[in-house]
Amino acid sequence: MRKYREALIIMRKELRGMFTTPIAYIVMTIFLIATGFFFFKDFFYFNQAEMRNFFQLLPLIFTFVVPAVTMRLFAEEKQSGSMEILLTLPVSTTNAVLGKFLAAAAFISLMLVPTLFYVVTVELSGSPYYGPIIGGYLGAVLLGSAYCAVGILTSSLSRDQIVAFITAWAGCFFLWLVDKITLFLPSWLGFLEYLSSDFHFKNIERGVLDSRDLIYFLSIIVISLLVTVRVIDERR
Amino acid sequence: MIRVDGVSKSFGEVVAVDGISFIIRDGEITGLLGPNGAGKTTTLRMITCYLRPDRGSITVGDYRVDENPLEVRKTIGYLPELAPIYGDMLVFDYLMFTADIRGVQDDGRFREIAGLCGINDVMHKKIGELSKGYKQRVGLAYAMIHDPDILILDEPTSGLDPNQIIEIRNLIREIGRKKTVILSTHILSEVEATCDRVIIIHRGKIVADDRTENLKSSSAAERSLYVSVGGTDFSGLSGALGGIPGVVSVERIEGGDPIVSARIALTGAGDPRPEVFGTVARNGWVLYEMSQKTRSLESVFRELTVGGGDA
């Protein structure tokens, strides 16, 4: 763990930074309003004690929300020149990237905490199956983390936060979209659905924990972060 | 000890640093002097492992920057140009963060450095809201918090008022007694005031590298005298003064009516000023002004960096 000491220090600093600017509160509020609306919209019609509505839209909502959190992580440092501070401290690029990733992933996880209120609502109105709910939250953390890694990669490519946001959104949206367009493709291209974040998220959300789905999200995270490290090291 | 050996760095087509080599011994204050865009900042950024040299090697202490960048960064305290620091952070949090990363756990050190840099009053302000001078001090505190053996300061006094400049220079000299300091600047008086040694860089190349006093005295023989005389014209003046021993040439600067100004190039150790005055007085002219100038670091600098170098 000693090797990653600096990553934890950077994570602490980034988390603190998110909460000293209004952006964290704005993103969280928008996220809660959006998920709350879609969750309660039909909740009382169907009279079903489940959270499907919430989890169904979560991957799409994350494609907007996660890039808003990650866009500044490297772009802002490049813009302001503080990248020079970060990269002349005795911190390896890996630790710098990892620290920022952990901060973003922790923020996304924190953002999910208030939604546990929906679980309480469901519990009060019936007796839900907890398998899908626990699976849904685990999947949400994994999916959010994977999107964070994509967002950090695009943030390291640009010094403009808006560009970082839009490219991150495009990347996440593509991952969400892939399994939906396989309908229009010849059937031998059906394997493309394995590339889809939504496909794997749905698997976990059913309450079935398959190692393939875990490996998928971990690969997205590891590959994106490794590329980010390369991008930063190459631009010296 | 810092050893820079044949280092080059280009950005696209632009060659920022072109094969420079120098050695900086421990306990020296070295000034990196050059016009804007000469390659000073790029050189410092390579020593601090922010940029990678295209060619050549840099060794800091026992470590090479390309092999052990983390060890090199540990021994260096670095104040980047314009101290671009995290505007949203409180000064206290920023220094805490640095101390954490650097593994400084001593609270005493924290108070000591805050006192030394005079930032106790602003500890709980946002860095972005500080004045330029305070930002610079926070940058210095940041650079020195781990008591580094090598301190690298990129334009440490830019944006400070004259009192603060003197304070910071005193601070640098104080630190320079025990530590190795490299500072970059385009302000000549700064080098004369603080540095033991000067390296002048121009268009990415080293054009001079010597102790400050040597660089000044090597050309001390080249003195000149500036005079403004009334009551004669230039030819009369140069005719009368040309015969004085020690005078090499008399050059017209401006005027002629009623006051003529001239630059008299001198040679030798003697002082021809009494003779010049005597000549002027004997002819019944009026001496409005006479001053002697020895070549300063400024003229060395101008000679080396204006127009010179290959384009």
Side-chain angles (χ1 to χ4, degrees):
Chain A
M1 259 347 255
R2 185 111 198 108
K3 205 175 139 201
Y4 297 110
R5 192 184 74 93
E6 288 90 17
L8 294 178
I9 296 170
I10 288 175
M11 166 181 152
R12 246 196 342 256
K13 168 187 162 287
E14 290 297 336
L15 267 181
R16 192 186 275 241
M18 286 175 191
F19 284 100
T20 51
T21 53
I23 195 155
Y25 302 102
I26 294 171
V27 167
M28 240 178 194
T29 308
I30 291 174
F31 174 74
L32 289 174
I33 289 172
T35 55
F37 173 76
F38 289 112
F39 174 65
F40 285 111
K41 189 168 61 96
D42 303 327
F43 183 67
F44 298 106
Y45 285 145
F46 295 114
N47 211 13
Q48 273 175 343
E50 58 170 31
M51 291 182 66
R52 177 142 297 171
N53 266 338
F54 170 65
F55 287 120
Q56 207 160 31
L57 269 164
L58 197 61
L60 192 57
I61 292 173
F62 267 180
T63 62
F64 293 97
V65 170
V66 174
V69 175
T70 58
M71 63 180 184
R72 52 175 282 279
L73 287 173
F74 278 110
E76 190 184 38
E77 300 231 23
K78 290 168 83 167
Q79 183 67 40
S80 76
S82 58
M83 198 77 164
E84 191 170 353
I85 298 272
L86 185 66
L87 294 182
T88 52
L89 283 169
V91 179
S92 65
T93 311
T94 312
N95 269 336
V97 171
L98 198 60
K100 285 178 185 271
F101 165 74
L102 289 174
F107 178 82
I108 297 297
S109 309
L110 273 176
M111 196 171 67
L112 287 168
V113 170
T115 67
L116 293 176
F117 174 73
Y118 309 155
V119 181
V120 176
T121 315
V122 172
E123 170 63 35
L124 289 177
S125 54
S127 44
Y129 291 116
Y130 274 98
I133 292 177
I134 293 169
Y137 274 103
L138 180 69
V141 170
L142 284 169
L143 179 79
S145 303
Y147 283 2
C148 282
V150 172
I152 282 172
L153 171 59
T154 65
S155 182
S156 76
L157 286 168
S158 168
R159 55 171 51 223
D160 186 330
Q161 294 193 37
I162 307 293
V163 173
F165 174 84
I166 293 170
T167 44
W169 171 79
C172 297
F173 187 71
F174 173 78
L175 289 178
W176 175 81
L177 193 72
V178 176
D179 64 334
K180 281 136 205 106
I181 56 174
T182 49
L183 279 177
F184 306 105
L185 296 173
S187 57
W188 60 270
L189 279 171
F191 70 91
L192 278 177
E193 74 177 6
Y194 289 107
L195 281 178
S196 163
S197 58
D198 205 25
F199 170 79
H200 293 280
F201 176 71
K202 276 186 193 134
N203 285 349
I204 297 182
E205 193 240 315
R206 270 185 221 121
V208 188
L209 202 54
D210 188 329
S211 59
R212 271 177 301 183
D213 304 318
L214 275 179
I215 288 168
Y216 170 79
F217 286 115
L218 291 179
S219 323
I220 297 260
I221 292 170
V222 170
I223 291 169
S224 302
L225 295 185
L226 284 179
V227 174
T228 308
V229 171
R230 273 310 285 266
V231 166
I232 291 171
D233 276 341
E234 280 309 308
R235 297 219 166 163
R236 289 189 163 183
Chain B
M1 192 173 80
I2 300 171
R3 184 192 294 273
V4 174
D5 199 4
V7 166
S8 300
K9 176 81 186 173
S10 315
F11 300 102
E13 294 284 289
V14 183
V15 181
V17 169
D18 190 2
I20 63 171
S21 306
F22 57 86
I23 291 174
I24 289 168
R25 285 168 290 275
D26 292 341
E28 239 181 11
I29 304 180
T30 305
L32 219 52
L33 187 64
N36 293 322
K40 305 180 298 264
T41 298
T42 307
T43 307
L44 296 184
R45 283 180 170 172
M46 286 190 286
I47 298 174
T48 53
C49 316
Y50 177 58
L51 293 174
R52 248 189 239 139
D54 296 339
R55 254 176 298 123
S57 72
I58 301 176
T59 316
V60 177
D62 301 327
Y63 302 104
R64 281 175 60 121
V65 295
D66 48 348
E67 283 163 7
N68 270 308
L70 292 187
E71 292 303 320
V72 170
R73 291 183 211 175
K74 275 181 198 166
T75 60
I76 290 179
Y78 177 42
L79 170 72
E81 194 178 12
L82 309 173
I85 29 192
Y86 300 102
D88 281 330
M89 281 180 103
L90 301 181
V91 174
F92 180 81
D93 289 342
Y94 178 59
L95 293 180
M96 253 339 220
F97 165 69
T98 315
D100 265 355
I101 290 269
R102 297 261 188 204
V104 179
Q105 262 136 14
D106 180 7
D107 269 359
R109 176 70 194 154
F110 208 88
R111 268 192 293 278
E112 188 191 335
I113 198 77
L116 192 65
C117 298
I119 51 171
N120 274 317
D121 304 343
V122 296
M123 273 298 183
H124 294 283
K125 286 194 178 161
K126 277 190 178 179
I127 294 171
E129 291 164 2
L130 297 180
S131 69
K132 188 84 204 333
Y134 270 112
K135 269 187 202 162
Q136 204 71 7
R137 289 168 190 223
V138 172
L140 272 173
Y142 153 85
M144 297 195 297
I145 197 154
H146 57 301
D147 200 15
D149 291 334
I150 298 167
L151 197 58
I152 295 182
L153 311 169
D154 199 351
E155 312 229 340
T157 57
S158 74
L160 303 187
D161 69 40
N163 292 333
Q164 294 168 333
I165 289 179
I166 290 168
E167 266 174 49
I168 297 282
R169 282 183 191 163
N170 288 339
L171 189 59
I172 292 170
R173 262 202 303 268
E174 187 64 34
I175 300 158
R177 291 205 187 126
K178 286 165 284 175
K179 315 271 176 184
T180 311
V181 181
I182 307 180
L183 60 90
S184 85
T185 180
H186 58 265
I187 305 163
L188 289 143
S189 55
E190 188 146 292
V191 172
E192 296 195 70
T194 44
C195 300
D196 304 322
R197 181 178 160 205
V198 201
I199 297 174
I200 301 181
I201 298 189
H202 182 50
R203 296 191 182 160
K205 289 190 165 118
I206 293 182
V207 289
D209 177 2
D210 207 340
R211 301 197 62 78
T212 314
E213 64 266 19
N214 291 352
L215 214 53
K216 275 161 73 180
S217 67
S218 68
S219 48
E222 293 177 27
R223 286 175 301 149
S224 41
L225 213 53
Y226 290 84
V227 292
S228 298
V229 176
T232 180
D233 56 4
F234 177 72
S235 55
L237 183 68
S238 71
L241 297 180
I244 298 170
V247 171
V248 179
S249 66
V250 181
E251 236 176 84
R252 179 196 201 123
I253 298 174
E254 60 176 7
D257 188 43
I259 301 172
V260 60
S261 300
R263 174 179 171 275
I264 307 169
L266 303 176
T267 182
D271 189 349
R273 278 178 292 182
E275 194 70 21
V276 171
F277 176 75
T279 310
V280 171
R282 241 177 289 125
N283 286 304
W285 301 331
V286 184
L287 184 62
Y288 285 90
E289 207 179 321
M290 174 158 68
S291 63
Q292 181 175 249
K293 294 223 168 84
T294 48
R295 194 161 98 142
S296 63
L297 203 50
E298 188 157 359
S299 58
V300 177
F301 179 73
R302 279 190 63 81
E303 236 165 69
L304 291 169
T305 58
V306 175
D310 46 345

